[in-house]
Amino acid sequence: MGQERRAIITISRQFASGGRTIGKKLAERLGIPFYDRDLITLAAKKSGFAEEIIESADSKSTHSLLYSLSMGMYNNVGAFDGPNSLPLNDRIFLVQHNVIREIAQQGSCVIVGRCANYVLREDPDVINIFIHSDLDSRIRRAVDEYGTPQEKARGTILKNDKRRAAYFEYYTGARWGRMENYDLAIHSDRIGLDNAAALVESFAHMRADG
Amino acid sequence: MGQERRAIITISRQFASGGRTIGKKLAERLGIPFYDRDLITLAAKKSGFAEEIIESADSKSTHSLLYSLSMGMYNNVGAFDGPNSLPLNDRIFLVQHNVIREIAQQGSCVIVGRCANYVLREDPDVINIFIHSDLDSRIRRAVDEYGTPQEKARGTILKNDKRRAAYFEYYTGARWGRMENYDLAIHSDRIGLDNAAALVESFAHMRADG
């Protein structure tokens, strides 16, 4: 990395394309922290401002609920079920949003998912990566690594991609997976996950020196 | 490069994104031939089989003309004007198609544009690259390097992108600029043209070793 400049690397990815693994390998190579959904959620829970934000977000939740109902997105975007599902998710998104900004301010890091590329869109030190791969290899990865039953793998992958796209579009108003929104998009099958991590590392160095 | 394996690198690009220059630099770095539209057209003119193909394509030209008229693409796809415009372009496309296959069979090379990624889609040694960049920097490049008048640059760029998309979609039936169709997509502004060429070179080596 350049002496002063941070490298905040966000990774968006198709389901089971190896994007999360690439992000982890990349963080190890660069010796910088790695954050995925679980770690961001944990950070949000720990953060002092979480409660405050959840309270201040309350005034917006009714609109969000109505909006999401009208858009038919009620079951698309979240880890929680029940009648209060989406407003709670909206509040969680806002907390995560702030946690991501806090994380980025602390210095170089790799962040996988959570619309981080959108949250940090004004930050000049952000590098946005997209990882995609062939459906067949994603099916293999889902079966071998996530234990998805073979006969369900295809459906699970397509459903998860749709969920990611819906999540991103709901919270950002932008389209997920459009090339223009990323600095580098890699077909992970072509070179493998280790090489993909090395390639992003090269890109980050080029960017820092540029 | 690997000992036996060719690297046929196709470069698709937004207008004035620097893709052609990156292709040229890349070919120099790898010490392999570089082909763009002019060179492919020249090769097609020189090639012995050009006339034969033009004749055999005659039977298809009526359908293509009707099709293109019905699609309103008459003025979108070509270097020739007049009533026989599109059938002639179709014939030229077929000749170029064969020239691209010939070129690829001869060994490693860089090919810019001409739907080469589609023409060579069955070839396992092909690496498909897409280069894009911000509209502002493309305007600068069009003005500085192509001499496009400042006030016309934006319009020229958007028109040329549309033309490329129409050309690609007319001849391939596939969508131009979709991330899934490329092995690597680079935002050229972020690292500059020299670095982009170096990054593609790394990718090609990783692919050859994989």
Side-chain angles (χ1 to χ4, degrees), chain B residues 49-67:
Chain B
F49 59 80
E51 314 244 341
E52 186 190 326
I53 285 160
I54 286 173
E55 276 181 45
S56 78
D58 265 346
S59 58
K60 293 173 193 159
S61 61
T62 312
H63 166 264
S64 293
L65 178 62
L66 288 175
Y67 176 80

PDB file of all heavy atoms in Angstrom, chain B residues 49-67:
ATOM      1  N   PHE B  49      -9.790 -16.803 -49.152  1.00  0.00           N
ATOM      2  CA  PHE B  49     -11.147 -17.326 -49.069  1.00  0.00           C
ATOM      3  C   PHE B  49     -12.206 -16.230 -48.984  1.00  0.00           C
ATOM      4  O   PHE B  49     -13.392 -16.502 -48.909  1.00  0.00           O
ATOM      5  CB  PHE B  49     -11.295 -18.323 -47.920  1.00  0.00           C
ATOM      6  CG  PHE B  49     -10.963 -17.770 -46.568  1.00  0.00           C
ATOM      7  CD1 PHE B  49     -11.889 -16.991 -45.884  1.00  0.00           C
ATOM      8  CD2 PHE B  49      -9.735 -18.011 -45.982  1.00  0.00           C
ATOM      9  CE1 PHE B  49     -11.591 -16.489 -44.636  1.00  0.00           C
ATOM     10  CE2 PHE B  49      -9.435 -17.495 -44.730  1.00  0.00           C
ATOM     11  CZ  PHE B  49     -10.356 -16.735 -44.057  1.00  0.00           C
ATOM     12  N   ALA B  50     -11.762 -14.977 -48.993  1.00  0.00           N
ATOM     13  CA  ALA B  50     -12.717 -13.877 -48.836  1.00  0.00           C
ATOM     14  C   ALA B  50     -13.790 -13.906 -49.919  1.00  0.00           C
ATOM     15  O   ALA B  50     -14.987 -13.877 -49.622  1.00  0.00           O
ATOM     16  CB  ALA B  50     -11.986 -12.555 -48.855  1.00  0.00           C
ATOM     17  N   GLU B  51     -13.405 -14.013 -51.176  1.00  0.00           N
ATOM     18  CA  GLU B  51     -14.362 -13.939 -52.287  1.00  0.00           C
ATOM     19  C   GLU B  51     -15.369 -15.085 -52.221  1.00  0.00           C
ATOM     20  O   GLU B  51     -16.570 -14.903 -52.387  1.00  0.00           O
ATOM     21  CB  GLU B  51     -13.616 -14.020 -53.627  1.00  0.00           C
ATOM     22  CG  GLU B  51     -12.394 -13.135 -53.693  1.00  0.00           C
ATOM     23  CD  GLU B  51     -12.526 -12.038 -54.740  1.00  0.00           C
ATOM     24  OE1 GLU B  51     -13.378 -12.185 -55.627  1.00  0.00           O
ATOM     25  OE2 GLU B  51     -11.786 -11.041 -54.657  1.00  0.00           O
ATOM     26  N   GLU B  52     -14.818 -16.254 -51.972  1.00  0.00           N
ATOM     27  CA  GLU B  52     -15.633 -17.455 -51.859  1.00  0.00           C
ATOM     28  C   GLU B  52     -16.733 -17.277 -50.808  1.00  0.00           C
ATOM     29  O   GLU B  52     -17.900 -17.576 -51.034  1.00  0.00           O
ATOM     30  CB  GLU B  52     -14.702 -18.603 -51.447  1.00  0.00           C
ATOM     31  CG  GLU B  52     -15.321 -19.969 -51.413  1.00  0.00           C
ATOM     32  CD  GLU B  52     -14.333 -20.933 -50.750  1.00  0.00           C
ATOM     33  OE1 GLU B  52     -13.109 -20.743 -50.935  1.00  0.00           O
ATOM     34  OE2 GLU B  52     -14.789 -21.844 -50.056  1.00  0.00           O
ATOM     35  N   ILE B  53     -16.337 -16.762 -49.641  1.00  0.00           N
ATOM     36  CA  ILE B  53     -17.305 -16.589 -48.556  1.00  0.00           C
ATOM     37  C   ILE B  53     -18.331 -15.527 -48.922  1.00  0.00           C
ATOM     38  O   ILE B  53     -19.518 -15.675 -48.656  1.00  0.00           O
ATOM     39  CB  ILE B  53     -16.579 -16.238 -47.248  1.00  0.00           C
ATOM     40  CG1 ILE B  53     -15.928 -17.507 -46.710  1.00  0.00           C
ATOM     41  CG2 ILE B  53     -17.539 -15.658 -46.228  1.00  0.00           C
ATOM     42  CD1 ILE B  53     -14.835 -17.254 -45.738  1.00  0.00           C
ATOM     43  N   ILE B  54     -17.868 -14.470 -49.544  1.00  0.00           N
ATOM     44  CA  ILE B  54     -18.800 -13.423 -49.948  1.00  0.00           C
ATOM     45  C   ILE B  54     -19.843 -14.009 -50.891  1.00  0.00           C
ATOM     46  O   ILE B  54     -21.032 -13.739 -50.766  1.00  0.00           O
ATOM     47  CB  ILE B  54     -18.044 -12.228 -50.581  1.00  0.00           C
ATOM     48  CG1 ILE B  54     -17.326 -11.450 -49.466  1.00  0.00           C
ATOM     49  CG2 ILE B  54     -18.998 -11.317 -51.339  1.00  0.00           C
ATOM     50  CD1 ILE B  54     -16.418 -10.354 -49.937  1.00  0.00           C
ATOM     51  N   GLU B  55     -19.411 -14.869 -51.812  1.00  0.00           N
ATOM     52  CA  GLU B  55     -20.376 -15.500 -52.711  1.00  0.00           C
ATOM     53  C   GLU B  55     -21.341 -16.418 -51.976  1.00  0.00           C
ATOM     54  O   GLU B  55     -22.544 -16.357 -52.147  1.00  0.00           O
ATOM     55  CB  GLU B  55     -19.641 -16.298 -53.801  1.00  0.00           C
ATOM     56  CG  GLU B  55     -19.227 -15.406 -54.962  1.00  0.00           C
ATOM     57  CD  GLU B  55     -18.513 -16.198 -56.045  1.00  0.00           C
ATOM     58  OE1 GLU B  55     -19.013 -17.293 -56.388  1.00  0.00           O
ATOM     59  OE2 GLU B  55     -17.477 -15.729 -56.528  1.00  0.00           O
ATOM     60  N   SER B  56     -20.800 -17.264 -51.097  1.00  0.00           N
ATOM     61  CA  SER B  56     -21.663 -18.225 -50.403  1.00  0.00           C
ATOM     62  C   SER B  56     -22.604 -17.528 -49.438  1.00  0.00           C
ATOM     63  O   SER B  56     -23.636 -18.053 -49.054  1.00  0.00           O
ATOM     64  CB  SER B  56     -20.829 -19.277 -49.670  1.00  0.00           C
ATOM     65  OG  SER B  56     -20.329 -18.731 -48.463  1.00  0.00           O
ATOM     66  N   ALA B  57     -22.238 -16.325 -49.023  1.00  0.00           N
ATOM     67  CA  ALA B  57     -23.096 -15.579 -48.105  1.00  0.00           C
ATOM     68  C   ALA B  57     -24.255 -14.904 -48.834  1.00  0.00           C
ATOM     69  O   ALA B  57     -25.199 -14.444 -48.200  1.00  0.00           O
ATOM     70  CB  ALA B  57     -22.274 -14.528 -47.363  1.00  0.00           C
ATOM     71  N   ASP B  58     -24.184 -14.867 -50.150  1.00  0.00           N
ATOM     72  CA  ASP B  58     -25.212 -14.153 -50.921  1.00  0.00           C
ATOM     73  C   ASP B  58     -26.620 -14.667 -50.648  1.00  0.00           C
ATOM     74  O   ASP B  58     -27.572 -13.907 -50.606  1.00  0.00           O
ATOM     75  CB  ASP B  58     -24.912 -14.248 -52.423  1.00  0.00           C
ATOM     76  CG  ASP B  58     -24.141 -13.017 -52.900  1.00  0.00           C
ATOM     77  OD1 ASP B  58     -24.114 -12.035 -52.122  1.00  0.00           O
ATOM     78  OD2 ASP B  58     -23.598 -13.054 -54.001  1.00  0.00           O
ATOM     79  N   SER B  59     -26.742 -15.961 -50.471  1.00  0.00           N
ATOM     80  CA  SER B  59     -28.065 -16.541 -50.263  1.00  0.00           C
ATOM     81  C   SER B  59     -28.704 -16.055 -48.966  1.00  0.00           C
ATOM     82  O   SER B  59     -29.916 -16.086 -48.821  1.00  0.00           O
ATOM     83  CB  SER B  59     -27.971 -18.065 -50.254  1.00  0.00           C
ATOM     84  OG  SER B  59     -27.078 -18.456 -49.236  1.00  0.00           O
ATOM     85  N   LYS B  60     -27.888 -15.623 -48.050  1.00  0.00           N
ATOM     86  CA  LYS B  60     -28.431 -15.199 -46.757  1.00  0.00           C
ATOM     87  C   LYS B  60     -28.746 -13.716 -46.711  1.00  0.00           C
ATOM     88  O   LYS B  60     -29.438 -13.251 -45.807  1.00  0.00           O
ATOM     89  CB  LYS B  60     -27.416 -15.493 -45.642  1.00  0.00           C
ATOM     90  CG  LYS B  60     -27.185 -16.968 -45.407  1.00  0.00           C
ATOM     91  CD  LYS B  60     -26.040 -17.169 -44.424  1.00  0.00           C
ATOM     92  CE  LYS B  60     -25.585 -18.615 -44.429  1.00  0.00           C
ATOM     93  NZ  LYS B  60     -24.240 -18.758 -43.909  1.00  0.00           N
ATOM     94  N   SER B  61     -28.244 -12.987 -47.674  1.00  0.00           N
ATOM     95  CA  SER B  61     -28.253 -11.538 -47.513  1.00  0.00           C
ATOM     96  C   SER B  61     -29.663 -10.941 -47.536  1.00  0.00           C
ATOM     97  O   SER B  61     -29.932  -9.969 -46.857  1.00  0.00           O
ATOM     98  CB  SER B  61     -27.379 -10.874 -48.570  1.00  0.00           C
ATOM     99  OG  SER B  61     -27.895 -11.177 -49.854  1.00  0.00           O
ATOM    100  N   THR B  62     -30.584 -11.560 -48.302  1.00  0.00           N
ATOM    101  CA  THR B  62     -31.935 -11.001 -48.368  1.00  0.00           C
ATOM    102  C   THR B  62     -32.613 -11.055 -47.007  1.00  0.00           C
ATOM    103  O   THR B  62     -33.181 -10.082 -46.536  1.00  0.00           O
ATOM    104  CB  THR B  62     -32.788 -11.774 -49.400  1.00  0.00           C
ATOM    105  OG1 THR B  62     -32.023 -11.887 -50.590  1.00  0.00           O
ATOM    106  CG2 THR B  62     -34.070 -11.029 -49.684  1.00  0.00           C
ATOM    107  N   HIS B  63     -32.493 -12.225 -46.368  1.00  0.00           N
ATOM    108  CA  HIS B  63     -33.085 -12.343 -45.038  1.00  0.00           C
ATOM    109  C   HIS B  63     -32.500 -11.311 -44.078  1.00  0.00           C
ATOM    110  O   HIS B  63     -33.213 -10.642 -43.344  1.00  0.00           O
ATOM    111  CB  HIS B  63     -32.882 -13.740 -44.480  1.00  0.00           C
ATOM    112  CG  HIS B  63     -33.176 -13.822 -43.016  1.00  0.00           C
ATOM    113  ND1 HIS B  63     -32.188 -13.719 -42.071  1.00  0.00           N
ATOM    114  CD2 HIS B  63     -34.344 -13.932 -42.345  1.00  0.00           C
ATOM    115  CE1 HIS B  63     -32.742 -13.775 -40.871  1.00  0.00           C
ATOM    116  NE2 HIS B  63     -34.036 -13.912 -41.014  1.00  0.00           N
ATOM    117  N   SER B  64     -31.193 -11.164 -44.142  1.00  0.00           N
ATOM    118  CA  SER B  64     -30.544 -10.225 -43.239  1.00  0.00           C
ATOM    119  C   SER B  64     -31.028  -8.803 -43.484  1.00  0.00           C
ATOM    120  O   SER B  64     -31.254  -8.048 -42.549  1.00  0.00           O
ATOM    121  CB  SER B  64     -29.028 -10.269 -43.435  1.00  0.00           C
ATOM    122  OG  SER B  64     -28.548 -11.509 -43.003  1.00  0.00           O
ATOM    123  N   LEU B  65     -31.183  -8.461 -44.740  1.00  0.00           N
ATOM    124  CA  LEU B  65     -31.628  -7.118 -45.066  1.00  0.00           C
ATOM    125  C   LEU B  65     -33.036  -6.870 -44.524  1.00  0.00           C
ATOM    126  O   LEU B  65     -33.285  -5.880 -43.841  1.00  0.00           O
ATOM    127  CB  LEU B  65     -31.611  -6.913 -46.589  1.00  0.00           C
ATOM    128  CG  LEU B  65     -32.103  -5.560 -47.075  1.00  0.00           C
ATOM    129  CD1 LEU B  65     -31.225  -4.438 -46.536  1.00  0.00           C
ATOM    130  CD2 LEU B  65     -32.132  -5.510 -48.598  1.00  0.00           C
ATOM    131  N   LEU B  66     -33.935  -7.821 -44.806  1.00  0.00           N
ATOM    132  CA  LEU B  66     -35.313  -7.675 -44.308  1.00  0.00           C
ATOM    133  C   LEU B  66     -35.330  -7.588 -42.791  1.00  0.00           C
ATOM    134  O   LEU B  66     -35.996  -6.755 -42.203  1.00  0.00           O
ATOM    135  CB  LEU B  66     -36.161  -8.879 -44.755  1.00  0.00           C
ATOM    136  CG  LEU B  66     -36.497  -8.912 -46.241  1.00  0.00           C
ATOM    137  CD1 LEU B  66     -37.228 -10.200 -46.573  1.00  0.00           C
ATOM    138  CD2 LEU B  66     -37.346  -7.703 -46.617  1.00  0.00           C
ATOM    139  N   TYR B  67     -34.545  -8.482 -42.190  1.00  0.00           N
ATOM    140  CA  TYR B  67     -34.495  -8.521 -40.742  1.00  0.00           C
ATOM    141  C   TYR B  67     -34.030  -7.175 -40.190  1.00  0.00           C
ATOM    142  O   TYR B  67     -34.628  -6.593 -39.300  1.00  0.00           O
ATOM    143  CB  TYR B  67     -33.555  -9.633 -40.295  1.00  0.00           C
ATOM    144  CG  TYR B  67     -33.356  -9.699 -38.808  1.00  0.00           C
ATOM    145  CD1 TYR B  67     -34.311 -10.297 -37.993  1.00  0.00           C
ATOM    146  CD2 TYR B  67     -32.224  -9.144 -38.220  1.00  0.00           C
ATOM    147  CE1 TYR B  67     -34.134 -10.342 -36.623  1.00  0.00           C
ATOM    148  CE2 TYR B  67     -32.045  -9.178 -36.855  1.00  0.00           C
ATOM    149  CZ  TYR B  67     -32.992  -9.780 -36.063  1.00  0.00           C
ATOM    150  OH  TYR B  67     -32.819  -9.816 -34.705  1.00  0.00           O
TER     151      TYR B  67
END
